[in-house]
């Protein structure tokens, strides 16, 4: 998606819930300058990719709809849980008004939510944030591979068409590319999901290459 000649993207979700400097949001369509939270390196990374530019952020469902109308982006990255409501409803409204805009991914942790979001997005992420949302953990560090597999199975039962991506939790892949392979195999075999996700940037490039091969 990042290399497909896409022209603009709107990022909406908890990662973008920040106090915005008005100057940052003064986005001119003529030069499509990005409005980025400089504290969010992931957004800046997207913006640096050739053929892809982040043109706006939104911290709420209402803001995401408003920004989508204004910029008519090719892609919207959306979270299910937003401070003022459901990302599902926001997706429904955006897709109704802008049928050519693609909603890339929504987060789900169980079969019911997966069934709701499946028709509105291209991919469903089973995020390790389930530790915070479902189990009341303060961080995602305690989340285990078994927890991810359990919820991955649930999401797969509720999804019919979207690509289901399961997070690899902390401690399940960092030690070596072989450890990452064994953890990824467990997730894929036991959930039947379509992909796994790991974090780490450049330092994980060798591991990602190994898994891809």
């Amino acid at each position: 998606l990042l290399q497909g000649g896409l022209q603009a993207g709107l990022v909406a979700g908890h990662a973008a819930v920040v106090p915005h400097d008005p100057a940052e949001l003064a986005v001119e369509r003529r030069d499509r300058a990005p409005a980025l939270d400089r504290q969010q390196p992931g957004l800046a990374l997207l913006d640096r990719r050739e053929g892809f530019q982040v043109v706006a952020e939104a911290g709420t469902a209402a803001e995401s709809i408003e920004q989508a109308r204004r910029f008519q982006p090719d892609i919207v990255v959306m979270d299910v849980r937003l401070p003022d409501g459901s990302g599902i409803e926001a997706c429904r409204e955006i897709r109704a008004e802008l049928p050519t805009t693609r909603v890339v991914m929504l987060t789900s942790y169980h079969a019911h939510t997966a069934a709701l979001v499946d028709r509105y997005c291209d991919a469903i992420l089973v995020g390790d944030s389930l530790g915070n949302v479902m189990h009341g953990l303060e961080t995602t560090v305690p989340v285990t591979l078994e927890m991810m597999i359990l919820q991955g199975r649930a999401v797969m039962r509720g999804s019919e068409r979207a690509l289901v991506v399961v997070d690899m939790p902390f401690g399940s892949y960092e030690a070596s590319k072989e450890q990452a392979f064994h953890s990824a195999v467990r997730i894929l075999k036991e959930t039947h999901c379509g992909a796994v996700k790991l974090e780490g940037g450049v330092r994980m490039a060798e591991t990602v290459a190994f898994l891809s091969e």
Side-chain angles (χ1 to χ4, degrees), residues 146-195:
E146 287 70 27
M147 291 167 68
M148 297 308 304
I149 289 171
L150 178 65
Q151 302 309 139
R153 286 174 179 164
V155 170
M156 285 296 296
R157 287 193 289 271
S159 174
E160 295 183 359
R161 53 165 296 279
L163 172 68
V164 175
V165 183
V166 177
D167 251 345
M168 296 177 66
F170 176 75
S172 68
Y173 62 89
E174 294 91 341
S176 67
K177 59 182 184 291
E178 289 79 15
Q179 183 202 28
F181 174 77
H182 289 300
S183 296
V185 166
R186 275 202 65 190
I187 292 173
L188 292 170
K189 289 182 70 173
E190 296 183 36
T191 69
H192 302 288
C193 68

Side-chain angles (χ1 to χ4, degrees), residues 73-146:
D74 299 298
I75 286 183
V76 174
V77 181
M78 182 79 70
D79 203 349
V80 169
R81 294 175 179 269
L82 296 169
D84 61 337
S86 167
I88 302 171
E89 294 301 323
C91 284
R92 184 180 291 125
E93 188 164 342
I94 290 170
R95 291 295 286 270
E97 294 188 27
L98 305 167
T100 60
T101 293
R102 304 300 297 175
V103 178
V104 181
M105 185 176 292
L106 287 165
T107 303
S108 177
Y109 308 117
H110 46 71
H112 176 67
T113 305
L116 290 174
V117 305
D118 188 68
R119 73 189 73 175
Y120 300 111
C121 61
D122 305 306
I124 297 173
L125 174 66
V126 186
D128 59 2
S129 53
L130 63 85
N132 311 97
V133 176
M134 298 185 66
H135 298 276
L137 300 174
E138 292 186 3
T139 73
T140 59
V141 172
V143 173
T144 65
L145 199 61
E146 287 70 27

